Tab-separated table of all heavy atoms in Angstrom:
chain	number	residue	atom	x	y	z
A	26	THR	N	-8.022	17.520	5.641
A	26	THR	CA	-8.437	16.337	6.315
A	26	THR	C	-7.409	15.766	7.249
A	26	THR	O	-7.701	15.412	8.394
A	26	THR	CB	-8.900	15.248	5.298
A	26	THR	OG1	-9.964	15.787	4.556
A	26	THR	CG2	-9.395	14.004	6.023
A	35	VAL	N	-4.030	10.869	17.117
A	35	VAL	CA	-2.621	10.660	17.447
A	35	VAL	C	-1.893	10.377	16.195
A	35	VAL	O	-2.296	9.554	15.369
A	35	VAL	CB	-2.430	9.457	18.414
A	35	VAL	CG1	-0.973	9.225	18.732
A	35	VAL	CG2	-3.228	9.693	19.758
A	61	SER	N	8.380	-13.276	6.022
A	61	SER	CA	8.952	-14.655	6.147
A	61	SER	C	8.012	-15.637	6.869
A	61	SER	O	8.147	-16.840	6.704
A	61	SER	CB	10.268	-14.602	6.916
A	61	SER	OG	11.281	-14.033	6.127
A	77	PRO	N	-4.112	-16.982	9.829
A	77	PRO	CA	-5.244	-16.248	10.428
A	77	PRO	C	-5.128	-14.735	10.242
A	77	PRO	O	-4.034	-14.225	10.162
A	77	PRO	CB	-5.148	-16.653	11.884
A	77	PRO	CG	-4.292	-17.889	11.932
A	77	PRO	CD	-3.307	-17.745	10.803
A	88	TYR	N	-18.667	-8.544	14.660
A	88	TYR	CA	-18.548	-7.350	13.882
A	88	TYR	C	-19.055	-7.641	12.445
A	88	TYR	O	-18.841	-8.770	11.901
A	88	TYR	CB	-17.117	-6.835	13.761
A	88	TYR	CG	-16.691	-5.950	14.899
A	88	TYR	CD1	-16.641	-6.370	16.204
A	88	TYR	CD2	-16.407	-4.577	14.623
A	88	TYR	CE1	-16.257	-5.496	17.273
A	88	TYR	CE2	-16.024	-3.732	15.679
A	88	TYR	CZ	-15.931	-4.209	16.967
A	88	TYR	OH	-15.584	-3.353	17.986
A	123	VAL	N	-14.883	-12.340	-13.853
A	123	VAL	CA	-14.445	-11.882	-15.166
A	123	VAL	C	-14.366	-10.357	-15.221
A	123	VAL	O	-15.270	-9.712	-14.772
A	123	VAL	CB	-15.384	-12.410	-16.295
A	123	VAL	CG1	-14.928	-11.919	-17.661
A	123	VAL	CG2	-15.437	-13.916	-16.239
A	147	ASP	N	-17.558	-15.693	-21.155
A	147	ASP	CA	-16.910	-16.361	-20.059
A	147	ASP	C	-17.583	-15.918	-18.768
A	147	ASP	O	-17.332	-14.951	-18.167
A	147	ASP	CB	-15.405	-15.939	-20.031
A	147	ASP	CG	-14.646	-16.674	-18.921
A	147	ASP	OD1	-15.214	-17.538	-18.282
A	147	ASP	OD2	-13.409	-16.366	-18.760
A	179	SER	N	-21.507	5.249	1.071
A	179	SER	CA	-22.625	6.098	1.445
A	179	SER	C	-23.954	5.236	1.379
A	179	SER	O	-24.784	5.286	2.280
A	179	SER	CB	-22.755	7.309	0.515
A	179	SER	OG	-23.886	8.061	0.815
A	191	PHE	N	-19.079	-2.329	13.113
A	191	PHE	CA	-18.455	-2.773	11.871
A	191	PHE	C	-16.995	-2.544	11.839
A	191	PHE	O	-16.453	-1.633	12.513
A	191	PHE	CB	-19.173	-2.109	10.646
A	191	PHE	CG	-19.163	-0.585	10.678
A	191	PHE	CD1	-17.981	0.131	10.279
A	191	PHE	CD2	-20.258	0.154	11.069
A	191	PHE	CE1	-17.947	1.499	10.269
A	191	PHE	CE2	-20.222	1.531	11.072
A	191	PHE	CZ	-19.079	2.205	10.662
A	250	GLU	N	6.690	14.444	-9.155
A	250	GLU	CA	6.405	14.603	-7.716
A	250	GLU	C	5.241	15.543	-7.480
A	250	GLU	O	4.443	15.341	-6.598
A	250	GLU	CB	7.682	15.179	-7.046
A	250	GLU	CG	7.561	15.254	-5.525
A	250	GLU	CD	8.801	15.700	-4.869
A	250	GLU	OE1	9.829	15.941	-5.556
A	250	GLU	OE2	8.833	15.821	-3.636
A	259	TYR	N	-5.939	15.291	-3.628
A	259	TYR	CA	-7.252	14.832	-4.052
A	259	TYR	C	-7.764	13.749	-3.066
A	259	TYR	O	-8.960	13.780	-2.670
A	259	TYR	CB	-7.179	14.263	-5.456
A	259	TYR	CG	-8.475	13.662	-5.946
A	259	TYR	CD1	-9.637	14.418	-6.109
A	259	TYR	CD2	-8.549	12.305	-6.215
A	259	TYR	CE1	-10.797	13.823	-6.548
A	259	TYR	CE2	-9.732	11.707	-6.680
A	259	TYR	CZ	-10.833	12.491	-6.848
A	259	TYR	OH	-12.036	11.897	-7.256
A	274	ALA	N	-24.029	9.530	9.200
A	274	ALA	CA	-24.697	8.262	9.579
A	274	ALA	C	-24.793	8.074	11.086
A	274	ALA	O	-25.299	7.047	11.560
A	274	ALA	CB	-23.986	7.122	8.904
A	290	GLU	N	7.017	5.323	-2.122
A	290	GLU	CA	7.217	5.433	-3.591
A	290	GLU	C	8.572	6.074	-3.804
A	290	GLU	O	8.989	7.026	-3.121
A	290	GLU	CB	6.116	6.234	-4.198
A	290	GLU	CG	6.207	6.396	-5.692
A	290	GLU	CD	5.536	5.241	-6.461
A	290	GLU	OE1	5.789	4.074	-6.046
A	290	GLU	OE2	4.802	5.494	-7.439
A	314	ILE	N	-2.013	7.908	11.109
A	314	ILE	CA	-2.803	8.784	12.010
A	314	ILE	C	-3.990	7.931	12.501
A	314	ILE	O	-4.700	7.308	11.721
A	314	ILE	CB	-3.272	10.032	11.308
A	314	ILE	CG1	-2.143	10.734	10.557
A	314	ILE	CG2	-3.972	10.985	12.293
A	314	ILE	CD1	-2.631	11.862	9.657
A	349	GLU	N	-6.632	-17.079	20.297
A	349	GLU	CA	-6.024	-17.947	19.309
A	349	GLU	C	-5.304	-17.109	18.239
A	349	GLU	O	-4.214	-17.500	17.812
A	349	GLU	CB	-7.065	-18.841	18.617
A	349	GLU	CG	-7.689	-19.849	19.571
A	349	GLU	CD	-8.668	-20.764	18.838
A	349	GLU	OE1	-8.848	-20.625	17.625
A	349	GLU	OE2	-9.354	-21.541	19.523
A	418	ASP	N	22.778	-11.267	-1.942
A	418	ASP	CA	24.018	-11.258	-2.772
A	418	ASP	C	25.277	-10.933	-1.982
A	418	ASP	O	26.315	-10.748	-2.575
A	418	ASP	CB	23.853	-10.337	-3.984
A	418	ASP	CG	23.528	-8.899	-3.540
A	418	ASP	OD1	23.331	-8.689	-2.309
A	418	ASP	OD2	23.476	-8.014	-4.434
A	441	PRO	N	32.485	-1.154	10.834
A	441	PRO	CA	32.247	-2.638	10.828
A	441	PRO	C	31.664	-3.126	12.125
A	441	PRO	O	30.892	-4.087	12.136
A	441	PRO	CB	33.631	-3.211	10.545
A	441	PRO	CG	34.624	-2.144	10.947
A	441	PRO	CD	33.917	-0.887	10.608
Side-chain angles (χ1 to χ4, degrees):
T26 299
V35 180
S61 287
Y88 272 66
V123 178
D147 185 3
S179 177
F191 57 80
E250 187 174 0
Y259 175 64
E290 183 84 315
I314 309 170
E349 293 182 5
D418 57 356

